[in-house]
Amino acid sequence: MTHYHPQSPDLAPDDLARLRFVAELRNQLHNRLGEGNRALYETHLAQLTDGDLKGASASARREELRAQMEEQPYFQAWSSLLRSSQDLMWRFVDQAVENDLPRLEAQVSDRDDGLGSLELDATLETPVYLLSADTHRMPGSYFRQSSDTDLRAGALYDLGSAIYQFGRGNQGGGLLNDSRGRTTVAHLRRFFPDLDPARILDLGCAAGQNTLPLADAFPQARVDAIDIGAPMLRYALVRARGLGRAIHFSQRNAEATGFEDQSFDLVVSQILLHETSPHATRNILREAWRLLRPGGVAVHLEVPTRFDRLDVFDQFLKSWEQYYNGEPNTAGVAAADLAGEMKTIGFTEVRSGFQAILPAGSNDPAMLLESPPAGGRSLYLVSGMRC
Amino acid sequence: MSMHGPTKYFFDDPAHDRLLAMILSLGAELAAVHEELCAVRSHLAEKGLVGASELAAPSAASQAERDAMRERLVANLLFPLQQECQTLVDQSRHGNKQT
């Protein structure tokens, strides 16, 4: 049996082999076969979408291109395989978790050592943008549960999201899958070197993978982390305890957290916004402002797709996850002017750009670039200070 | 638990999508069998025994061998699509525009 941190599901050799297969399959679909779609567009469809639709809005051109691409056998086969590989990944992760569930659930009481805390709210309404489909097709999504001790969703997400990253060629976080949190910390060290927060809030923390680097970077701070899903948070608490970190988890909506005004020095969201909606994104940016004390900092870290840098084909292809893979707001965030929104709200020192994912243990200073760095994975960050 | 939400079928006949999904399942099973066979074979060669520890924690060399084997297996599975991809890329590079 293999397990990669104390709370993770035990993986039998055949579980591991299946998951490695899925990661390799996804890697080849993206990195070897993805270029066939661009070639198909350039050879067969560019004239249509660039010519006949000249003057149409970007979203209208994307929709027309989508309709055209869905007629193409190459795109049909590539998409069907990629979507099937996503479902296969969750099925194998689910089987591994299911086999190990009694041991995982026993750890809830075994690890009740008072480190950190958990506060659930059974009356919290699930946002409408999470109801139409299970996010990234994870069965049960973040919030469905079979009992008031259920932590299955957190275990699924923890393992599945790490495998997903491997399948995108991002090994930077390993199976701890914390490269986003480390990227946020590198950003803060570089651009807000004097920030010494007493209270930190992580919005939409999921299984808490990217919360832990914040706690490590600011060991004197109290770290709160919120999510919509009770089974995610149950798992996140035990995971954090197993890894020796004190995080205070609570079940809240990032659009309206219920925390008091000006009660935090640092508020972050890490790959949250593309799983909400355009309306919720604006609410979350405003909520971060409300929660910050003067001098406090907000950082929002997102997937690196920015429509203003892409032609219509790449806009379309980067929307694949939203069209077919249960990501509710990939295109919405890619089109949004997050830095402009933050300035309108009143933030100062607003910065935005692409930041490379640094390897674990790297002390290289974070660089905020106007273009995604060539030859490596990057994330898009926007940050600002409340004066 | 089953997945909630709409499922897009990319082919005119949804059976084609399902067939591809089934082939992927078969591929994964094949990969699992290959890996276990590889583990057993290398251990037998070394000690004349089959040990569970070898299955769970292969040597770096054995793991590298398995990784390379998996990469070849996936490439073979995807070969028909890879050929089509190459044709499209060649057409695009040579300006063989079609309407």
Side-chain angles (χ1 to χ4, degrees):
Chain A
M1 291 289 190
T2 299
H3 61 101
Y4 52 90
H5 61 69
Q7 177 61 20
S8 74
D10 273 342
L11 294 173
D14 56 341
D15 290 331
L16 264 179
R18 289 187 185 92
L19 290 171
R20 286 187 181 126
F21 170 84
V22 169
E24 178 62 29
L25 179 68
R26 295 177 63 77
N27 203 18
Q28 291 195 27
L29 284 168
H30 281 297
N31 298 323
R32 292 188 184 172
L33 299 179
E35 66 173 342
N37 292 308
R38 157 69 72 176
L40 176 66
Y41 162 72
E42 288 179 349
T43 310
H44 297 273
L45 301 174
Q47 272 184 313
L48 173 86
T49 49
D50 295 352
D52 295 357
L53 287 170
K54 213 174 180 79
S57 71
S59 64
R61 295 173 74 207
R62 281 198 300 277
E63 284 306 312
E64 175 58 27
L65 183 54
R66 175 184 176 183
Q68 297 287 332
M69 287 294 284
E70 287 184 359
E71 298 292 315
Q72 300 292 324
Y74 183 83
F75 179 75
Q76 290 170 344
W78 182 83
S79 293
S80 184
L81 284 163
L82 191 60
R83 210 270 314 290
S84 289
S85 74
Q86 179 89 358
D87 291 355
L88 204 56
M89 177 187 86
W90 288 123
R91 179 144 46 97
F92 294 156
V93 169
D94 199 17
Q95 287 166 3
V97 168
E98 186 71 32
N99 288 339
D100 202 29
L101 212 49
R103 190 189 66 86
L104 292 175
E105 289 181 343
Q107 291 196 17
V108 175
S109 49
D110 292 351
R111 293 193 185 280
D112 189 8
D113 53 11
L115 198 61
S117 61
L118 174 63
E119 177 196 315
L120 298 178
D121 176 5
T123 67
L124 188 68
E125 282 189 29
T126 303
V128 67
Y129 49 78
L130 293 181
L131 293 175
S132 59
D134 287 356
T135 302
H136 38 62
R137 300 179 70 80
M138 183 174 99
S141 191
Y142 294 122
F143 54 89
R144 290 200 191 85
Q145 53 186 349
S146 58
S147 73
D148 58 7
T149 58
D150 189 349
L151 45 67
R152 183 182 148 281
L156 273 188
Y157 181 81
D158 193 14
L159 181 55
S161 58
I163 301 295
Y164 179 91
Q165 286 300 312
F166 292 170
R168 298 303 300 240
N170 175 20
Q171 306 269 355
L175 279 166
L176 279 176
N177 199 13
D178 63 354
S179 61
R180 282 69 170 260
R182 288 187 286 102
T183 304
T184 300
V185 168
H187 183 89
L188 290 165
R189 295 267 191 248
R190 168 78 196 276
F191 297 107
F192 302 94
D194 299 329
L195 184 71
D196 183 19
R199 289 199 68 186
I200 298 172
L201 177 62
D202 185 10
L203 302 167
C205 65
Q209 299 108 310
N210 295 300
T211 315
L212 302 192
L214 302 171
D216 291 347
F218 303 105
Q220 79 293 349
R222 174 190 159 102
V223 180
D224 281 86
I226 67 167
D227 199 86
I228 209 77
M232 300 298 291
L233 292 164
R234 287 188 198 101
Y235 178 86
L237 177 71
V238 188
R239 184 187 191 276
R241 282 181 173 168
L243 292 164
R245 268 64 153 222
I247 312 288
H248 298 277
F249 293 97
S250 54
Q251 188 179 13
R252 298 166 192 257
N253 184 331
E255 294 176 69
T257 60
F259 288 115
E260 288 182 17
D261 290 358
Q262 302 191 11
S263 49
F264 290 91
D265 307 290
L266 172 62
V267 176
V268 309
S269 77
Q270 304 179 105
I271 54 163
L272 167 67
L273 304 176
H274 76 280
E275 294 189 0
T276 62
S277 71
H279 180 69
T281 296
R282 286 190 290 277
N283 287 345
I284 290 167
L285 297 181
R286 277 196 292 268
E287 179 69 354
W289 167 268
R290 184 186 74 76
L291 293 171
L292 284 171
R293 297 184 184 119
V297 169
V299 182
H300 302 282
L301 172 150
E302 260 304 327
V303 295
T305 303
R306 306 302 307 157
F307 278 173
D308 57 4
R309 307 192 49 79
L310 303 175
D311 69 3
V312 66
F313 175 78
D314 276 337
Q315 290 182 15
F316 156 75
L317 200 62
K318 295 288 186 183
S319 303
W320 193 96
E321 303 267 350
Q322 179 162 339
Y323 294 148
Y324 313 119
N325 208 37
E327 301 272 9
N329 195 36
T330 308
V333 157
D337 176 11
L338 299 175
E341 295 261 3
M342 284 183 71
K343 286 176 189 164
T344 302
I345 291 167
F347 282 97
T348 58
E349 293 191 45
V350 175
R351 293 181 180 84
S352 60
F354 300 90
Q355 197 174 306
I357 299 172
L358 299 176
S362 168
N363 288 317
D364 291 353
M367 305 285 284
L368 206 57
L369 307 166
E370 286 185 21
S371 313
R377 300 291 299 173
S378 67
L379 293 158
Y380 183 77
L381 286 91
V382 55
S383 62
M385 181 181 280
R386 175 172 182 166
C387 288
Chain B
M1 190 179 286
S2 59
M3 207 287 301
H4 164 74
T7 289
K8 164 81 183 167
Y9 291 107
F10 294 94
F11 296 104
D12 294 338
D13 182 351
H16 291 165
D17 290 74
R18 292 192 200 107
L19 196 61
L20 281 176
M22 291 163 69
I23 290 169
L24 294 188
S25 288
L26 276 176
E29 292 307 315
L30 194 59
V33 170
H34 261 292
E35 290 209 21
E36 298 210 25
L37 268 181
C38 179
V40 169
R41 195 174 55 224
S42 60
H43 204 73
L44 278 173
E46 286 168 21
K47 296 185 179 174
L49 294 168
V50 180
S53 61
E54 163 63 11
L55 291 178
S59 67
S62 174
Q63 186 59 54
E65 187 186 346
R66 294 181 207 184
D67 290 346
M69 184 195 66
R70 183 186 322 107
E71 189 183 333
R72 279 198 306 277
L73 188 149
V74 171
N76 281 334
L77 263 181
L78 295 177
F79 184 70
L81 202 60
Q82 177 70 58
Q83 280 186 308
E84 198 176 339
C85 177
Q86 196 56 52
T87 304
L88 287 164
V89 168
D90 289 346
Q91 284 177 357
S92 172
R93 283 190 188 141
H94 296 120
N96 181 17
K97 308 278 183 195
Q98 296 176 8
T99 52

